[in-house]
Amino acid sequence: MSRDVETARKTALSALTNERFRAALEQLSDPRASEKIALMRSDGPSADLGTAQARYADNNN
């Protein structure tokens, strides 16, 4: 269990110092975002599943 706690701690610290994570939290905390999230709408261009998967893979390497 101690190892799990240490892993969770490292993950939380990483999230706190991650600029992209901070920006995402800032956007989610914007009251205007609640309607977009609830309706799953976007004001900008959307991506198809293949493009989204490719971008996700690029960001995790």
Side-chain angles (χ1 to χ4, degrees), residues 27-28 30-47:
Q27 288 178 346
L28 288 172
D30 183 347
R32 295 171 292 177
S34 62
E35 180 183 0
K36 289 180 195 174
I37 293 169
L39 300 174
M40 298 301 286
R41 291 192 326 203
S42 171
D43 289 338
S46 61

Side-chain angles (χ1 to χ4, degrees), residues 2-30:
S2 176
R3 186 173 179 204
D4 292 339
V5 171
E6 183 60 27
T7 300
R9 181 180 176 281
K10 285 181 182 179
T11 302
L13 287 174
S14 174
L16 287 174
T17 58
N18 184 304
E19 180 62 24
R20 290 178 61 205
F21 185 77
R22 184 206 57 79
L25 282 181
E26 192 173 286
Q27 288 178 346
L28 288 172
S29 65
D30 183 347

